[in-house]
Amino acid sequence: EIASQKINCVLVDIDQEGLESVAAELTGENAVETRPVHVNLAKERFLDGLLPATKDLQIGLLVNNAGIGCGGAVASRDFDRMSQLVMLNCHAPVLLTRAMLPGMLTRQRGGIVFVSSLQAFISSPYEATYCASKAFNLHFGESLWGELRKKPVDCITVCPAGMKTNFFRADGHSQESCDRMWKFSSEPADIARMALQQLGKKPVVAPKVTLAVHFLSRLLPRKIITRGSEKLARKLVNYQRT
């Protein structure tokens, strides 16, 4: 969506082959320049590899989109996976924002997009770490919007109910579970357009499903929302209690 507006793109990911493929696709379809940067954003010092690779560029739009899940009971989750989630979903957006924001303020223009989730608004058993990380994204993004409200840099946080990507499969879910969750998910292109169209207009934007859940979460006691979320999670994914 960004490339279609003739904006050159820096692509950052751990998958070098995938980076090269997407870079070639964007260049071929939109005649823009792309720069793939192979960096693991879940590492503590990832900026040591990223900043030298972009030091000659003026980054005008930062999209904090990278993230992973860690579904299942907390007591049985893998230590490394939980640590990677916190680093990637929370630590990376904070450092990327801190690194890119000063240049935007100096140039008097720019934008920052955070990708949160429906689960930022509710407590979700068996998705505790992910749920907390997306609440972090929501509050960090909305708070930053408040700081930048009277400045020439825009900020928005988008909260999809789910997206039809490889996210669920990468989290280890079966194809059957992925198919069930996709029924409640949005097309990535729709979420991307929503975020860019509302950038500079709203602090937070979300599809109708998220808005409905958020509305209910404000009306009902939190223990009811949490129990309902647990039942839904177990029905969709068949999470075990241990």
Side-chain angles (χ1 to χ4, degrees):
E1 187 68 21
I2 293 169
S4 71
Q5 298 183 26
K6 303 304 178 183
I7 298 174
N8 298 329
C9 297
V10 176
L11 310 173
V12 183
D13 202 279
I14 194 174
D15 178 7
Q16 188 164 12
E17 183 178 347
L19 276 173
E20 298 290 346
S21 175
V22 173
E25 178 183 340
L26 294 181
T27 298
E29 292 182 356
N30 302 283
V32 296
E33 294 182 17
T34 57
R35 181 175 298 184
V37 181
H38 181 224
V39 170
N40 185 353
L41 295 172
K43 297 293 186 181
E44 184 173 358
R45 299 186 62 85
F46 71 87
L47 286 176
D48 291 348
L50 179 59
L51 294 184
T54 59
K55 64 181 181 180
D56 60 322
L57 301 176
Q58 294 185 354
I59 304 299
L61 177 63
L62 169 65
V63 181
N64 288 300
N65 183 52
I68 58 173
C70 188
V74 170
S76 62
R77 293 306 89 199
D78 179 76
F79 279 93
D80 289 340
R81 180 72 174 186
M82 293 180 75
S83 177
Q84 289 171 3
L85 184 150
V86 174
M87 294 297 287
L88 183 59
N89 294 18
C90 302
H91 179 261
V94 171
L95 265 62
L96 284 166
T97 300
R98 173 60 182 85
M100 303 303 172
L101 181 57
M104 296 179 187
L105 291 172
T106 297
R107 296 189 297 273
Q108 296 283 291
R109 64 182 183 275
I112 301 173
V113 177
F114 295 92
V115 179
S116 182
S117 169
L118 175 153
Q119 289 182 300
F121 298 105
I122 59 175
S123 297
S124 186
Y126 306 106
E127 290 286 356
T129 315
Y130 179 79
C131 187
S133 75
K134 290 304 175 180
F136 180 94
N137 295 155
L138 174 62
H139 289 287
F140 183 75
E142 193 169 18
S143 298
L144 183 62
W145 174 87
E147 290 186 22
L148 299 175
R149 189 167 56 87
K150 296 183 179 181
K151 298 183 184 297
V153 176
D154 298 319
C155 179
I156 194 169
T157 302
V158 59
C159 301
M163 288 194 280
K164 295 179 180 179
T165 67
N166 195 43
F167 175 87
F168 300 120
R169 173 64 72 184
D171 196 23
H173 298 302
S174 68
Q175 186 59 53
E176 183 181 2
S177 294
C178 291
D179 291 340
R180 284 197 295 267
M181 287 185 284
W182 270 36
K183 294 179 181 179
F184 302 94
S185 299
S186 302
E187 292 291 344
D190 295 337
I191 298 300
R193 279 192 293 269
M194 177 186 295
L196 296 180
Q197 287 171 358
Q198 298 300 324
L199 180 62
K201 301 176 183 177
K202 296 181 178 181
V204 178
V205 66
K208 292 180 180 179
V209 174
T210 298
L211 295 177
V213 171
H214 178 42
F215 179 74
L216 288 175
S217 71
R218 299 179 66 179
L219 295 178
L220 298 173
R222 293 192 65 82
K223 65 179 181 180
I224 293 179
I225 293 293
T226 303
R227 288 173 181 172
S229 177
E230 177 188 6
K231 290 181 180 179
L232 180 61
R234 289 176 60 79
K235 181 178 181 180
L236 290 175
V237 186
N238 192 30
Y239 284 129
Q240 301 302 309
R241 294 185 182 275
T242 58

